[in-house]
Amino acid sequence: MANHHLGFDLGHADTAIALASGRETERFAAPANLEVQGQSIQPTALARIKREGKEVLVVGGRAIREVSKAQAQGNAALKAAFKTRPKNLGAATADLQDFFRTMLEEAAFDPAPPEGWAGCSIAVGCPSSWSAEEDARAYAEILREALAGTDMAKAEVSVVPESRAALLQAIENPNSPLTLEARRENILVIDVGSSTLDMSLIAPEQKASPLFDAGLDLGASFFDRRVLDAALADRSDARGFLELNPHYRDLWLYYARRTKEQFFIDAPHDDEEPISGAPLQTFFAGGQRQSLTIDITGEEFATLRRAPYDRPLNPSPELSLDPAALQGMSWEEIYEAALTALREAIARRGSAYGRVLLAGGASRMPFTEEIAQRVFAHGPGDTPVLRDPEPSHMVSRGLSRWSRRQESVERFAVAARKLMKERLPELASENFEPLKDRLATALAGVIFDRFVEPVLQLWKDGAFRTGRDVRAEIETRTAEWLASEEGTDFFVREINAWWREEVKHELDRELDKLHAAFDVSRDIQLNLGQAIDPAVFRFSASSLDLPFEAVIQAALLTLAFAVTIAIDAHFGFVPITTGALAAAVAVGGKPLRAWIARIDVPAFARRLPDRLPGREQLFDARVRARVEKQLGQSVEKARRSILDQIEAAVAASVTQQTKRARVLLHGEDGNAR
Ligand SMILES: Nc1ncnc2c1ncn2[C@@H]1O[C@H](COP(=O)(O)OP(=O)(O)OP(=O)(O)O)[C@@H](O)[C@H]1O
Ligand SMILES: [Mg+2]
């Protein structure tokens, strides 16, 4: 059981680590980013530096600086851009592992949880387009292996889609730009990253079912490559140097990226003004020390915005995008095509979206928002796209929330099941008496309306030859009714009404305590407004152990009364022929069965009046009371089988509802990655 939850956003360009404590009352109740080397965001970079014959690992910004110094001496190399699908990692696997471990070691994490790393769980993000079964699972293995043999191996490591994490952050963060109203609708999160474009649609507070995750390998690092190309365009000496020293490439790409960012920060009006975010790069060529300026002008940038994208896109199948059709398109054209494909995929699924949240560092490029507004506008003038104020921290914080949420949901599910197992049978059993009365009363009504009255009509019309026929008719009707939807609905309705009146309030009190104890948010709280949710549990009236012979007897008894009264009414309430019948009826049981078997039905039918007396008369209080008593005994005998079905129905509802919470965390396939 973890008490500290780390969210590790290992991005292609940048890495951030957030911490959330297990309980709301502790420090880090709200996730906060941990600093590594005094900064909450570090470039995803690793350097292996040889010092005194030993290899030292340096990560982040320091790696870049150290390498810039040491590279000139040829004893260090920068490793960056190692975030790719595990199957393509190859030799970079070790870089990824060393980076992951060293970042964790360096994360300012003080004081460590009392349980040490055993009290930590670490959620690491992966792009949406990675498959759960293959990519994410293999990635988790690689990351676990990275910690093997260290104290950190005690921590739990899981891999979670980044856009899912961003979404959780968007929903739960009190400073989220999503209003409460916006959170009621489906939300679309678009994470514009350095190597991937990730998209996730979710209905957070309704049925909490993520409709889907999708993505493709469209990354903003494309511009970094183009900026470097532009800087090298008229520098054959630098190009030659790079050919001979390929390990310089990652460093120069890093500075090209900084230059790109500076360009967007400065947004120069003058198209010819060169902008740079990089120090002068020195290198040796032709035995001479040379220097390279990595800069870009507005004019050059406009050209590279139109350049064709240079990497395989691997769009996820949900988007129905043909990679061949995207060939030769620019970054922005592909971005627009992907968003449009997403919009169409949502429509194809018969679904919809409300607000669109842009996340990821590259969403700072203004055209990402402009295009998204255009694609997702619900009508003219509509601007559904919002930008998170801290796009670079969304994923790491969301990941730590994910980890905490996952833990609390699992613990909550266990506690809820335990509560149901321990408290529910007791509560239902204690309150069985009112259920029995309610069912007996309602069943008596059904018997009269569904069996007695129509049979009486048929009898009057001379439809039966003997009493046995009458009995058979009632038996058939009872069996049919019990197997029918109407029969099932009857029990479900009565049991749910009883549940609301007698059981729910008591159970709610206990559930509220659980919700508070596990910090379960509103959208995934258990709601047991009914005992039997027909959508989740199939209640079966015909499999109840209700002694149906007794039900049939009750029907015959009612029928006998009704016949007596009808005949009495016909003869002006003078009981002539009905003496024997009245006696049989009064005694019930065997004499009644004997009477029913012997009775000459056609003769009776002839004596029945044309118009039968009304329901009130035919089924008066005296008859009712007697029938209800008999039915009550019958329900009592079925006590166990009724309670069993109620308990099974509630258990199914709890399972279904906790599954909803899991779906929010793991996606529709329910796969933990
Ligand atoms: N001010 C800025 N203007 C333009 N781009 C920026 C700015 N700041 C950061 N970026 C870009 O954002 C990207 C990094 O964003 P982010 O950290 O979300 O990606 P990542 O998580 O590293 O990548 P991925 O999610 O693909 O693994 C980089 O391409 C970076 O250059
Ligand atoms: Mg990212």
Side-chain angles (χ1 to χ4, degrees), residues 393-561:
H393 287 127
M394 261 188 105
V395 171
S396 58
R397 292 181 190 171
L399 285 166
S400 67
R401 283 186 192 276
W402 184 94
S403 174
R404 172 164 70 190
R405 190 53 108 67
Q406 129 106 347
E407 177 103 9
S408 71
V409 162
E410 291 313 317
R411 276 157 53 194
F412 171 72
V414 170
R417 274 202 300 276
K418 186 159 172 269
L419 172 71
M420 293 306 149
K421 219 167 159 182
E422 286 171 1
R423 262 316 260 141
L424 181 64
E426 197 183 344
L427 262 178
S429 187
E430 276 167 10
N431 290 294
F432 189 73
E433 211 47 33
L435 175 61
K436 184 178 87 180
D437 294 348
R438 174 185 274 281
L439 280 176
T441 306
L443 257 181
V446 168
I447 284 178
F448 185 81
D449 295 339
R450 305 283 300 147
F451 313 144
V452 174
E453 206 171 29
V455 169
L456 200 59
Q457 277 297 346
L458 289 172
W459 189 337
K460 190 168 78 59
D461 299 340
F464 306 108
R465 277 176 15 94
T466 68
R468 274 198 199 84
D469 296 342
V470 178
R471 192 195 156 85
E473 176 71 19
I474 289 196
E475 263 177 12
T476 313
R477 281 174 182 250
T478 312
E480 271 171 14
W481 178 77
L482 283 167
S484 72
E485 217 164 288
E486 195 191 326
T488 298
D489 288 350
F490 165 84
F491 281 96
V492 170
R493 198 172 51 242
E494 293 301 326
I495 290 172
N496 281 341
W498 159 80
W499 175 267
R500 276 192 299 277
E501 274 168 36
E502 311 289 342
V503 183
K504 185 181 176 305
H505 49 95
E506 183 70 33
L507 207 59
D508 275 351
R509 259 203 294 281
E510 312 233 4
L511 270 179
D512 283 349
K513 278 190 247 161
L514 271 195
H515 289 145
F518 292 97
D519 180 34
V520 170
S521 68
R522 191 159 58 90
D523 50 320
I524 55 164
Q525 281 184 3
L526 284 186
N527 173 8
L528 293 174
Q530 47 188 1
I532 303 170
D533 177 356
V536 175
F537 185 83
R538 239 194 98 58
F539 186 87
S540 159
S542 50
S543 69
L544 283 182
D545 282 340
L546 203 62
F548 290 116
E549 183 53 35
V551 177
I552 291 161
Q553 285 284 317
L556 289 174
L557 185 67
T558 319
L559 185 66
F561 267 114

Side-chain angles (χ1 to χ4, degrees), residues 634-647:
S634 190
V635 171
E636 179 67 47
K637 290 203 181 97
R639 181 190 181 105
R640 196 57 268 156
S641 82
I642 294 174
L643 290 179
D644 281 351
Q645 286 213 51
I646 292 173
E647 283 162 30

Side-chain angles (χ1 to χ4, degrees), residues 9-12 14 83 162 191-194 196 198 360 395:
D9 176 16
L10 200 163
H12 178 258
D14 285 328
K83 181 174 172 182
E162 284 154 10
D191 179 3
V192 197
S194 171
T196 56
D198 279 312
V395 171

Side-chain angles (χ1 to χ4, degrees), residues 5-70:
H5 303 278
L6 288 176
F8 199 118
D9 176 16
L10 200 163
H12 178 258
D14 285 328
T15 290
I17 306 176
L19 172 66
S21 61
R23 303 211 174 269
E24 290 287 324
T25 46
E26 285 167 353
R27 229 156 54 94
F28 297 108
N33 282 87
L34 295 179
E35 290 191 343
V36 174
Q37 302 163 7
Q39 281 190 318
S40 65
I41 296 183
Q42 286 291 348
T44 305
L46 171 84
R48 302 174 197 281
I49 297 170
K50 287 194 200 79
R51 271 193 206 132
E52 291 153 13
K54 277 208 327 224
E55 189 185 82
V56 183
L57 297 178
V58 182
V59 289
R62 275 187 200 160
I64 312 264
R65 212 171 52 87
E66 292 284 330
V67 166
S68 305
K69 273 193 319 184

